[in-house]
Amino acid sequence: MSERSQQALRIGVIGLGVMGMGTATALLQRGLNVTGCDISQAAREAFTAEGGKSVATPAELADCHIVLVVVVNGGQVEQVLFGEQGVVGHLAPDSLVMQCATVAPSQAKQLGERLAAEGLMMLDAPISGGAAKAKSGDLSVMASGSPEAFSYAQPVLDAMAAKVYRLGDAPGVGSSMKLVNQLLAGVHIATAAEAMALGIRMGLDPEVIFDVISHSAGNSWMFENRVPHILSGDYTPLSAVDIFVKDLNIVHQTGRELALTTPIAASALQLFTAASGAGFGREDDSAVIKVYQRLSGITLPEAANDACGG
């Protein structure tokens, strides 16, 4: 795509949460014409402050050539695409929908079929990397779709991702790969919380546990990334507990569809579900450790202002 046509390309991003806002900002910073969409006025104002345009309903993205869907779950995907104010009925033929949310592979396949029936292309393109990489344009994209869809999406993929995995020529494969990632991510977070709880219960210094394990064979990316949230006592959600309740439920559902048992993922799901039921669902996913605090009375590090009585 020429520089001139890239500048003329109109991009819509539906969902200005942590990942959507970061992605939309990265696209904007790389010179693309981006309109953000969110029901939250605060989110829209935040994106406008970055220099982008914003709208309140997906239907208002009718003039976009490419629409990224970066919402929370499959129900929201259905609503923003096919609901009363959905974008699908308003897009021009041969426009592209990039479906970036974590959904069941079976739903991704169905979305591809439904969008094709409307004359639209779809890239099944779940994303991974967290808020910081979203904002810097360094995400991993696990994508599947037609060669035409990949070609059309190239300027967007170049702007948002450090690595794009081309996994197949039809929707569903990208979401399948994302599900493998989410199984591991959820299990690693749950295991990191349990390991920290055990160490604290045995009287070890939490800071020392982190230092030793992050330089030892038991380390994982999630341990190294999430345990600092526990050490600082800061559970401001970058990725919330309820996200993994959703994603590990999709793992469980897909395992049932395939007659494949997933006992380790099921154990992690129970921990996240317990954390959500205890009122921590909207806190950072590292707050799963609070389940152990409730069960065994371990003392967790406090936020600096809490420790000072602020």
Side-chain angles (χ1 to χ4, degrees):
M1 183 172 290
S2 69
E3 182 177 349
R4 180 177 179 181
S5 60
Q6 177 173 324
Q7 291 173 345
L9 196 64
R10 292 186 293 274
I11 314 298
V13 178
I14 303 176
L16 297 175
V18 173
M19 296 295 285
M21 180 68 77
T23 300
T25 301
L27 298 177
L28 194 66
Q29 290 175 345
R30 284 156 179 77
L32 291 170
N33 181 350
V34 185
T35 301
C37 174
D38 202 286
I39 59 173
S40 165
Q41 181 177 344
R44 297 196 303 271
E45 290 175 350
F47 185 59
T48 301
E50 295 285 346
K53 297 169 288 185
S54 65
V55 295
T57 66
E60 295 174 81
L61 298 174
D63 66 341
C64 289
H65 301 100
I66 300 175
V67 174
L68 284 71
V69 179
V70 196
V71 295
V72 173
N73 56 42
Q76 290 186 4
V77 171
E78 176 73 22
Q79 186 66 27
V80 301
L81 290 179
F82 299 102
E84 185 176 345
Q85 294 293 323
V87 70
V88 167
H90 302 275
L91 292 173
D94 296 325
S95 297
L96 172 67
V97 173
M98 290 180 58
Q99 203 302 103
C100 301
T102 301
V103 302
S106 56
Q107 182 180 5
K109 293 176 185 176
Q110 292 168 2
L111 287 172
E113 294 168 358
R114 293 170 69 187
L115 290 171
E118 297 284 345
L120 304 174
M121 294 184 288
M122 175 177 160
L123 204 62
D124 181 19
I127 55 180
S128 182
K133 288 188 177 182
K135 190 170 184 178
S136 65
D138 291 320
L139 291 169
S140 291
V141 180
M142 306 165 213
S144 62
S146 68
E148 293 80 11
F150 273 106
S151 178
Y152 202 60
Q154 198 63 55
V156 173
L157 294 171
D158 289 344
M160 69 187 285
K163 183 68 176 179
V164 177
Y165 294 94
R166 296 182 64 150
L167 301 171
D169 60 4
V173 187
S175 286
S176 295
M177 186 61 72
K178 180 61 184 296
L179 208 55
V180 173
N181 182 79
Q182 293 310 93
L183 186 157
L184 289 166
V187 167
H188 287 175
I189 294 169
T191 305
E194 184 166 308
M196 289 299 297
L198 176 64
I200 293 169
R201 190 77 171 94
M202 293 189 297
L204 298 176
D205 184 323
E207 297 278 355
V208 175
I209 298 171
F210 177 71
D211 185 38
V212 172
I213 297 303
S214 61
H215 293 89
S216 302
N219 191 33
S220 69
W221 190 93
M222 281 299 188
F223 184 93
E224 197 164 343
N225 184 267
R226 296 306 204 266
V227 171
H229 304 177
I230 297 170
L231 298 179
S232 65
D234 183 0
Y235 298 96
T236 303
L238 298 180
S239 175
V241 163
D242 280 344
I243 293 295
F244 277 98
V245 174
K246 170 186 72 79
D247 289 356
L248 290 174
N249 261 308
I250 297 174
V251 170
H252 178 66
Q253 169 196 330
T254 303
R256 290 184 63 184
E257 292 173 359
L258 299 172
L260 176 72
T261 183
T262 54
I264 298 174
S267 294
L269 173 58
Q270 289 302 310
L271 185 65
F272 282 104
T273 301
S276 182
F280 309 129
R282 294 184 179 274
E283 295 189 21
D284 188 77
D285 50 35
S286 59
V288 293
I289 197 171
K290 294 183 180 182
V291 174
Y292 295 100
Q293 182 184 41
R294 289 281 185 92
L295 293 174
S296 64
I298 59 173
T299 300
L300 296 176
E302 299 179 354
N305 62 338
D306 293 338
C308 297

